[in-house]
Amino acid sequence: MVKAPLKPLALVTGASSGIGAATARQLAKAGYDLFLVARREERLKALSEELQSHSVRVQWAALDLRDRMALEQFFSSKAEALSRVEVLVNNAGLARGVEKVQEAEPRDWDEMLETNVRALLAFTRRVLPGMTARGSGHIVNVGSVAGRWVYPGGAVYAATKAAVKSISEGLRMDLIGTGIRVTNVEPGMVETEFSEVRLGSKSASDRVYARMQPLKAEDIADTILWSLQRPAHVNIQEIVIFPTDQAAVGQVHRRSSEGE
Ligand code: NDP
Ligand code: 8X3
């Protein structure tokens, strides 16, 4: 029997929810084989079953990206798949809390720094040898408008996303001439589990998006797919996306209860 040729493989971190799950769905529809990573096994399993209907191969791994030993084990046990990764979507990430620096918990800083920055670097480093050997590949980092504009209570989260912006910029410089593209996608308010994780409850999260129209995870997934589908000589370096109801970080239009 002749084996079907392999489709390009995309690895998406943080695929169990929000932007990552929406991106995985769009990539499957576009014909990518997928490798999904996050901690919540049940979610990954369910998504991978859902995506089989697109006739793509879907692998997944339940991993805590802060666990360096687990990460190294994953990298060595999946070396063959990782060498095939054509698209890496470094999406897993979080903000934890809105406390002022003088009142914040250092362990929250560690969680943000390790997930949003160190793990992004680790995955990037791991897939680059395969990409450079093939002379093609695309790394999409999910940054944030917070990486450009800091706000009170967001110093450390913003610092992690400023790091993602700098890493994306430096990578493009280090990779020039290899054919590998690097895109930093920087969303404003997107309604996902992000605010629930940050603030600790669904009701607090609901207040963040009350009486305004935030972006949907699918809006960001669309943008990611669009950047991947540009011709190979076009690299969308950075893209800032706000909801129409948000003019700037901290300036949100909220409708009155009557409607406007
Ligand atoms: P969600 O909370 O819905 O998704 C976050 C994803 O990251 C989940 O799949 C979660 O999976 C994964 N994740 C978090 N911590 C870890 C960890 N330690 N190990 C493995 N996976 C982890 O939020 P979003 O979809 O909104 O967030 C995706 C990205 O978008 C983040 O980088 C965020 O900073 C960025 N962003 C979000 C914005 C927004 O307004 N929502 C705006 C700008 C940027 P699990 O819990 O299963 O491990
Ligand atoms: C998430 C957007 O404005 O809450 O990155 O930091 S914001």
Side-chain angles (χ1 to χ4, degrees), residues 128-145:
L128 281 177
M131 290 184 178
T132 46
R134 285 190 307 278
S136 72
H138 199 146
I139 295 177
V140 178
N141 292 328
V142 181
S144 167
V145 293

Side-chain angles (χ1 to χ4, degrees), residues 14 16-17 19 39-40 64-65 91 143 157 161 188 190 192-193:
S16 61
S17 166
I19 295 169
R39 287 166 300 187
R40 285 171 289 179
D64 184 338
L65 300 192
N91 161 77
Y157 176 66
K161 294 303 186 177
V190 189
T192 61
E193 292 172 21

Side-chain angles (χ1 to χ4, degrees), residues 10-58:
L11 189 152
V12 181
T13 68
S16 61
S17 166
I19 295 169
T23 302
R25 289 192 174 95
Q26 299 231 5
L27 291 173
K29 223 186 284 176
Y32 284 89
D33 284 340
L34 284 162
F35 208 128
L36 311 176
V37 176
R39 287 166 300 187
R40 285 171 289 179
E41 191 169 334
E42 282 315 308
R43 296 264 195 115
L44 294 174
K45 199 162 167 246
L47 181 59
S48 110
E49 280 161 15
E50 174 194 325
L51 299 182
Q52 308 291 338
S53 63
H54 295 289
S55 308
V56 293
R57 295 174 179 84
V58 186

Side-chain angles (χ1 to χ4, degrees), residues 121-199:
L121 278 169
F123 271 87
T124 302
R125 177 70 184 86
R126 197 60 193 76
V127 301
L128 281 177
M131 290 184 178
T132 46
R134 285 190 307 278
S136 72
H138 199 146
I139 295 177
V140 178
N141 292 328
V142 181
S144 167
V145 293
R148 289 172 183 258
W149 299 288
V150 189
Y151 50 87
V156 176
Y157 176 66
T160 67
K161 294 303 186 177
V164 170
K165 186 174 184 302
S166 294
I167 290 164
S168 305
E169 203 172 316
L171 265 175
R172 282 189 291 271
M173 294 171 182
D174 291 349
L175 291 169
I176 191 154
T178 64
I180 299 166
R181 299 185 286 176
V182 181
T183 299
N184 190 29
V185 177
E186 298 158 71
M189 295 167 74
V190 189
E191 191 168 9
T192 61
E193 292 172 21
F194 177 85
S195 291
E196 201 175 331
V197 169
R198 179 175 216 170
L199 305 172

